[in-house]
Amino acid sequence: MKVFNRVASAAAGLCVLFSSAALADTVKVKDITGREVEVNVPVQHVILGEGRQIYFVGALDKDEPFKRVVGWRDDLTKADPETYAAYLAKYPDIAKLPAFGGMKDGTFDIEQAVALKPDVMLMNIDAKTATEEAGYIEKLEKVGIPLVYVDFREKPMENTEPSMRLIGKLFGKEEKAEEFIKFRADSIAKVTDVLAKANPKKPLVFMERAGGYSDDCCMSFGDENFGKMVEFAGGINMAKEIIPGTFGTVNPEQIIASNPDQIIITGGNWEGYVPGGNWVGVGYGADEKEAFRKLENLTKRPAFTGVKAVKEGNVHAIWHQFYNNPYQFVAIQQIAKWLHPDLFKDLDPDATFKELHERFLPLPYKSGYFVSLNVGQ
């Protein structure tokens, strides 16, 4: 009887294996860099090259966001501890997920990745140079692990839609990806359509990246990422002509000389990186009173001496991680509301973000992503 049971069990396992193989379809996909990659879809086992990729994985696998994830980079716990804590409370098994170091800092363990036998590894495009220099693509190919690049950071306004379509294809969630893309486009149109019709005067905006994270001043954005979001929201990005790429630095004298009408600073809870730092801790369920206090403190730096935005209270903070996920449309709505309060008095970015959570994400919505010194906004 025991022999029969073992044979029956083995036969059942083979049936499952063959069924999975039958359901899998080997396809060629083009990633965001234009590389053609062969992948068996829908993928069942995925390594996330960055923990924050759960932002888009959760949008496609709402009911079971970690069902495909066999390993991930160890950044979410420090870059966005509130979101990690919320996921951990709901899915406690994620504490056991194998975690990796990064490609860029040379701490990625390829042997550990191979042992997990993933169907695909998803990497952000900003790690491309480090990945290629270390020969990881070739090493992974030799053991049958395809690597696919996506992008929500370098050129998010250009690459978010194709990245979501690519991930939808890999996950067998094409319809859900298109539903998300439509919601995103409709939400952006609520800003751009109004601006096209009203054609208001565009304020000059200084967008500071991670203000207070260090004593240096001031990191900003060129003609992409938050810099492009400012333009979508009806503003002029002060650093557009100063920074040639997506990210760069503006010196304090340039800020004072430009005299921006509005200042927007990205922030988050970076206690894990810079304990007790001057960063503004906006994010999931953040303490808005404390964020207000820290934002006000940042206006006292020499770079903001006497500028119009500070004098008139048009200084704001926004969640930094909008720069690295497909939810930029929420940021565009909020920035538009700050830049053109009369034009967008009926627009509710919090309601948009709440709808995103209700329709697409596994977590309930909590406010705390925005704070402004202009209390009327």
Side-chain angles (χ1 to χ4, degrees), residues 2-3 17 68 75 140 142 156 165 185 223 268 302 310 344 356:
K2 289 181 180 179
V3 173
L17 181 63
R68 305 174 202 269
D75 57 290
L140 290 170
K142 286 181 180 178
R165 285 197 174 97
D223 191 26
V310 174
F344 293 105
L356 171 67

Side-chain angles (χ1 to χ4, degrees), residues 42-292:
V43 295
Q44 303 298 326
H45 305 101
V46 178
I47 287 180
L48 304 183
E50 189 169 283
R52 282 169 286 179
Q53 290 178 344
I54 197 63
Y55 297 143
F56 62 71
V57 171
L60 296 180
D61 280 337
K62 178 181 179 180
D63 295 332
E64 298 179 82
F66 294 95
K67 69 176 182 179
R68 305 174 202 269
V69 182
V70 295
W72 58 347
R73 191 184 163 191
D74 57 3
D75 57 290
L76 186 65
T77 55
K78 288 186 177 181
D80 187 6
E82 287 89 356
T83 297
Y84 175 76
Y87 272 118
L88 181 63
K90 190 170 183 179
Y91 306 100
D93 285 348
I94 68 173
K96 303 172 187 175
L97 269 179
F100 299 88
M103 296 278 192
K104 291 165 75 173
D105 61 16
T107 57
F108 175 72
D109 186 342
I110 193 166
E111 291 183 2
Q112 183 185 16
V114 170
L116 296 173
K117 300 179 181 179
D119 301 316
V120 70
M121 181 168 185
L122 299 176
M123 288 298 301
N124 289 347
I125 200 171
D126 61 293
K128 182 174 182 289
T129 300
T131 303
E132 291 178 347
E133 287 177 353
Y136 284 133
I137 293 176
E138 292 78 11
K139 291 173 183 176
L140 290 170
E141 281 180 348
K142 286 181 180 178
V143 291
I145 301 174
L147 184 148
V148 171
Y149 288 111
V150 296
D151 178 38
F152 299 96
R153 182 190 278 134
E154 295 295 321
K155 294 185 178 180
M157 302 313 295
E158 178 182 325
N159 288 334
T160 289
E161 287 193 6
S163 290
M164 288 302 289
R165 285 197 174 97
L166 172 60
I167 300 155
K169 177 69 174 176
L170 294 175
F171 286 14
K173 294 277 189 175
E174 290 95 336
E175 287 186 13
K176 180 59 70 174
E178 291 302 326
E179 184 185 345
F180 179 94
I181 287 167
K182 184 180 186 305
F183 179 61
R184 176 181 182 273
D186 290 347
S187 298
I188 293 174
K190 288 180 180 179
V191 172
T192 54
D193 288 356
V194 171
L195 290 171
K197 185 177 179 180
N199 193 27
K201 182 181 178 181
K202 297 179 178 180
L204 183 66
V205 182
F206 174 59
M207 193 83 223
E208 183 177 5
R209 182 184 179 198
Y213 186 89
S214 71
D215 293 332
D216 296 333
C217 185
C218 291
M219 295 188 294
S220 190
F221 302 85
D223 191 26
E224 244 307 342
N225 206 288
F226 267 110
K228 186 72 77 176
M229 292 182 226
V230 163
E231 294 189 346
F232 270 69
I236 299 170
N237 173 23
M238 193 200 94
K240 179 177 179 178
E241 304 302 328
I242 300 170
I243 297 173
T246 299
F247 307 111
T249 304
V250 176
N251 66 52
E253 293 77 14
Q254 288 173 316
I255 300 169
I256 294 169
S258 298
N259 196 25
D261 301 298
Q262 303 265 352
I263 294 171
I264 303 172
I265 300 171
T266 72
N269 179 355
W270 291 313
E271 189 68 25
Y273 291 124
V274 188
N278 293 319
W279 37 263
V280 183
V282 287
Y284 189 78
D287 182 338
E288 294 178 39
K289 287 184 178 179
E290 176 63 5
F292 183 97

